[in-house]
Amino acid sequence: MTSSVLDQVLEEIKNSVGRDRVSIDADDLITYGRDWTKAYAPKPSAIVFPRCTQEVSQVLKICSAQGVAVVPSGGRTGLAGGAMATNGEIVLSLTRMNHMADVDSIAQTITVEAGAITEAVHQKTAAQGLTWPVDFASKGSSHIGGNIATNAGGVRVIRYGLTRNWVLGLKVVLMSGEILDLNGSLEKNNTGFDLRQAFIGTEGTLGVITEATLKLTRLPAESTVAFFGLKDLDRVFDLFLRARKSPFLVTAFECLSRGCLEAVLEVQGLRDPLPSVSEQYVLLEIEKPQSADQLELLDQWLLDCLDSGITESATLAQSPKEVQEIWALREGVAESLGHRGRVHKHDISLPLSKLQAFLKDWGRALGTQYQGMEPYIFGHIGDGNLHVNVLQPKGMNSPEFERIAEGMDAEMFATLKKYQGSVSAEHGIGLLKKNLLEFSKTPVEMQLMRSLKNVFDPKNLLNPGKIFD
Ligand code: 2HG
Ligand code: ZN
């Protein structure tokens, strides 16, 4: 885009929606031109901050007429580059659209603008004894619109499923400026194609979500958390099976390796709650048993896990503070590994029944070919979702590291394909994983995805270059 086209577009936007909606301030360009993905540098031309759906529509219409590319931007906590503006695009930040309507207690819904912060929605709905049960470490920054655009996962998928399950209605603006009001607040609506689904998980490539009616559920009973040390990953799966068969309602089942725990303890200055060192750790969250009998049953169940040799050590949180402390060990992993230097990251998933076989196959290949490149594995193992983070070893230069890491990737993804896994469980494709998509999608699926993009955004102006070129 030439600078005169940019000037003209920005002038039109200012005249249409207000001069204060546009920024070319250098700090804003850097802040709003990027997300949490570290692999890219932001290079947007301008940031636009609309205040309502109508303004989004006007801005997109102007950009569309002038052939200017737009990157929708939310809380910018994504890890696949889905909200990166690297190519002179105009960033459309939904940050000023954060209004939340009152909770509808009869329908158990809340309608919020796309820029509402996840945690703010949690707080508002909790006051009515309800919750929107999508939860993850970045909830203090992430936006509802971004969660929906990426079909966010997190730590409670095992209990509640993905974001997709908790969205009733969507207001969406197409690149042409057309506004769609999809499904309102209907629970049941069997009228042909459910277009709402086209915008959930498609990372802002088909339309801009400006408002959502969220489905709520009863605020769960108080939960309790146990933390286990285990000898190896086989024992982690044994424990998972036991937890699933137990009389307790599992609300999270998360794992982390010793290396991950050490990183968190060191970087965050936290205390190891277990008396001995193990290779693997599990965080198990369950709804807290209410009766004395049930509490006794839980103590007995934990003892059985130790006696049977499945776990090497275990601790049960004794207070809400201890619950938080144990969660901090798991939720601090990604940030702590990032503090240690350059990280090559993956977010894979497998059918639970194939996860063990995958890890064995892949582990064999790793052990023989990539000494010194130890992957740090953690994540939502109860959903079949592992985060694989490879740290650049000290003394190895970056090009060498990337070359070896890519060799490891090829190995991992070939094994993943063999077991019908996915190259992105919850972080999306964005810019970062475009070259991996072929491992999880067939050529026919790729063609259909491109055709859909062409229907919604024929000029390829909305979040171009994300998911595919
Ligand atoms: C988590 O589960 C996040 O902690 C981040 O999804 C994972 O950075 C990562 O690899
Ligand atoms: Zn995760």
Side-chain angles (χ1 to χ4, degrees):
M1 171 180 37
T2 63
S3 64
S4 64
V5 171
L6 176 67
D7 290 345
Q8 191 191 330
V9 166
L10 294 183
E11 202 47 38
E12 273 188 55
I13 293 175
K14 285 178 192 166
N15 290 337
S16 169
V17 297
R19 307 200 82 73
D20 66 329
R21 308 292 199 267
V22 177
S23 172
I24 50 164
D25 172 81
D27 285 347
D28 281 348
L29 294 183
I30 290 174
T31 305
Y32 294 97
R34 66 168 316 131
D35 57 25
W36 282 1
T37 320
K38 290 192 179 144
Y40 309 97
K43 211 167 142 275
S45 293
I47 319 294
V48 179
F49 300 98
R51 287 192 179 269
C52 62
T53 300
Q54 200 56 46
E55 289 188 5
V56 172
S57 163
Q58 284 163 252
V59 171
L60 291 186
K61 209 180 278 174
I62 292 166
C63 291
S64 179
Q66 300 287 347
V68 171
V70 174
V71 173
S73 165
R76 308 181 307 285
T77 58
L79 293 166
M84 290 295 313
T86 57
N87 208 13
E89 304 92 333
I90 287 184
V91 171
L92 186 80
S93 168
L94 282 294
T95 209
R96 292 190 192 162
M97 290 177 59
N98 58 2
H99 179 258
M100 298 185 274
D102 289 340
V103 171
D104 180 336
S105 308
I106 295 183
Q108 299 199 330
T109 62
I110 184 169
T111 299
V112 302
E113 285 186 323
I117 305 270
T118 313
E119 197 164 43
V121 172
H122 288 169
Q123 282 160 359
K124 178 147 184 151
T125 53
Q128 306 294 321
L130 295 167
T131 191
W132 191 59
V134 176
D135 197 0
F136 33 71
S138 58
K139 59 177 170 261
S141 307
S142 78
H143 288 184
I144 294 299
N147 297 342
I148 298 173
T150 56
N151 189 24
V155 292
R156 300 237 154 62
V157 173
I158 192 170
R159 166 79 175 97
Y160 295 105
L162 289 161
T163 296
R164 189 185 295 286
N165 300 347
W166 300 94
V167 179
L168 279 187
L170 284 184
K171 207 170 259 183
V172 178
V173 186
L174 302 183
M175 192 63 211
S176 61
E178 199 79 53
I179 299 172
L180 302 177
D181 211 335
L182 301 169
N183 200 56
S185 53
L186 293 173
E187 177 71 47
K188 299 179 91 171
N189 180 9
N190 252 350
T191 49
F193 294 5
D194 183 357
L195 290 177
R196 167 185 54 155
Q197 299 298 339
F199 302 98
I200 305 179
T202 46
E203 303 182 41
T205 57
L206 302 185
V208 179
I209 296 165
T210 58
E211 192 182 288
T213 298
L214 306 175
K215 187 170 160 155
L216 306 175
T217 187
R218 198 166 52 92
L219 201 59
E222 195 188 341
S223 58
T224 193
V225 170
F227 195 64
F228 301 91
L230 304 98
K231 189 163 157 268
D232 52 31
L233 276 165
D234 283 339
R235 304 298 195 291
V236 172
F237 288 100
D238 292 344
L239 181 64
F240 181 58
L241 200 62
R242 266 198 182 216
R244 279 236 149 147
K245 286 184 172 166
S246 78
F248 312 111
L249 184 68
V250 176
T251 50
F253 192 94
E254 302 277 313
C255 71
L256 55 153
S257 65
R258 177 71 199 170
C260 296
L261 183 70
E262 275 172 7
V264 181
L265 296 177
E266 181 198 298
V267 174
Q268 319 270 345
L270 298 174
R271 153 191 93 83
D272 187 343
L274 296 175
S276 54
V277 169
S278 292
E279 191 187 296
Q280 300 294 334
Y281 296 89
V282 162
L283 179 158
L284 169 68
E285 186 189 74
I286 55 169
E287 272 195 10
K288 192 170 182 175
Q290 293 302 311
S291 68
D293 277 2
Q294 276 193 316
L295 276 171
E296 215 167 283
L297 204 63
L298 176 58
D299 283 340
Q300 192 52 52
W301 187 80
L302 291 172
L303 279 177
D304 288 348
C305 290
L306 287 166
D307 290 347
S308 62
I310 290 181
T311 63
E312 294 181 319
S313 57
T315 180
L316 182 67
Q318 299 301 321
S319 64
K321 183 168 167 274
E322 283 187 18
V323 167
Q324 260 182 15
E325 283 169 1
I326 293 178
W327 264 116
L329 297 174
R330 163 62 188 89
E331 293 203 309
V333 175
E335 195 193 332
S336 305
L337 291 174
H339 268 81
R340 288 198 161 173
R342 193 186 176 102
V343 188
H344 186 81
K345 281 172 171 300
H346 289 297
D347 160 42
I348 58 172
S349 72
L350 283 117
L352 268 165
S353 57
K354 294 180 177 158
L355 195 48
Q356 249 170 312
F358 162 80
L359 284 167
K360 289 220 160 90
D361 261 26
W362 180 49
R364 259 193 300 275
L366 271 183
T368 51
Q369 294 174 51
Y370 300 101
Q371 280 98 343
M373 295 278 282
E374 177 81 12
Y376 289 75
I377 297 181
F378 63 102
H380 322 284
I381 197 162
D383 309 324
N385 175 191
L386 295 177
H387 297 306
V388 178
N389 282 207
V390 185
L391 251 68
Q392 181 169 351
K394 285 201 174 68
M396 185 184 282
N397 63 41
S398 296
E400 175 77 344
F401 170 61
E402 283 306 328
R403 194 184 59 75
I404 300 179
E406 271 163 32
M408 286 173 78
D409 289 357
E411 202 81 56
M412 183 174 83
F413 289 117
T415 318
L416 194 78
K417 194 167 182 176
K418 176 173 157 196
Y419 291 104
Q420 290 93 41
S422 167
V423 296
S424 180
E426 59 171 6
H427 294 169
I429 298 297
L431 289 174
L432 196 64
K433 296 180 190 159
K434 284 194 285 189
N435 63 335
L436 301 175
L437 206 47
E438 71 191 69
F439 287 99
S440 291
K441 293 273 192 265
T442 62
V444 178
E445 285 174 293
M446 288 298 295
Q447 190 46 47
L448 286 169
M449 282 163 59
R450 285 179 202 283
S451 305
L452 266 180
K453 170 74 175 166
N454 198 37
V455 168
F456 286 95
D457 177 23
K459 296 185 193 163
N460 190 27
L461 292 175
L462 193 56
N463 223 4
K466 309 294 164 51
I467 305 181
F468 40 64
D469 287 315

